[in-house]
Amino acid sequence: MSEGTVEIAVLVGSLRKGSINRQLAQVAADNAPQGAHVTIVEGLGELPFYSEDHDPSTDDAAILPAGVAALRESVGAAHAVLLITPEYNGTIPAVLKNAIDWLSRPYGAGAVSNKPVGVIGAALGRFAGTWSREDTRKSVGIAGGRVIEDVEVGVQTSTLGENGVSDPELVGQVVAAVNRLVDEVAVAA
């Protein structure tokens, strides 16, 4: 992490390498504004489901799984977090919810505590994943993140044109979301 650089951790709720949500994360990383660095956090699919039996903050004998420690370290070192979510059966994907659960601990001092968090995403349905984004905001807010409500990009995947996520208007929306998080970090500093 460079001094003076705003670090943004991105968590993607889709595990498919070629997913549109993964592509949106790459757009965010590739178009990070000057003075910001966007990192896509990998490995969410390898995390065990959250259990207090594996959480040292609730059980002194527990050993934190290595992947969870790496996730907490990545997000903990970031100044802000961007969550990018598809919508599965009308709500947040399990892999993203599980990551939020691990990041919420120890209660009141988890890796997302008081960090600006934005939520964007893409889904097939006509509402472009609105329910998933709302549920993700609710979950990460309860987990301690400071949800930035005006970070709002919802992509209806069935309407993407031939340029896909490279469409200049969509790239502009993703860049605006990242810029909003950068601004929020600057305000808090």
Side-chain angles (χ1 to χ4, degrees), residues 9-65:
V10 179
L11 279 63
V12 182
S14 176
L15 297 178
R16 190 169 58 85
K17 289 185 186 337
S19 79
I20 291 171
N21 286 284
R22 168 71 56 174
Q23 292 173 41
L24 289 174
Q26 197 60 56
V27 166
D30 291 346
N31 295 281
Q34 185 172 355
H37 183 252
V38 175
T39 302
I40 301 169
V41 178
E42 302 292 349
L44 299 187
E46 283 80 50
L47 300 177
F49 282 112
Y50 178 77
S51 169
E52 289 184 352
D53 291 340
H54 302 291
D55 186 350
S57 71
T58 59
D59 180 349
D60 292 337
I63 297 172
L64 193 64

Side-chain angles (χ1 to χ4, degrees), residues 69-141:
L71 171 69
R72 286 180 174 176
E73 185 176 323
S74 295
V75 173
H79 298 101
V81 181
L82 180 62
L83 303 177
I84 304 181
T85 184
E87 185 171 271
Y88 293 168
N89 298 313
T91 193
I92 181 174
V95 68
L96 187 55
K97 177 63 169 73
N98 187 48
I100 292 169
D101 290 345
W102 278 113
L103 292 168
S104 72
R105 302 287 198 247
Y107 183 74
V112 295
S113 289
N114 297 314
K115 288 188 190 294
V117 179
V119 179
I120 68 173
L124 182 61
R126 68 180 172 152
F127 301 115
T130 298
W131 296 332
S132 179
R133 292 190 317 279
E134 288 173 353
D135 288 350
T136 302
R137 285 185 189 98
K138 176 183 170 187
S139 181
V140 76

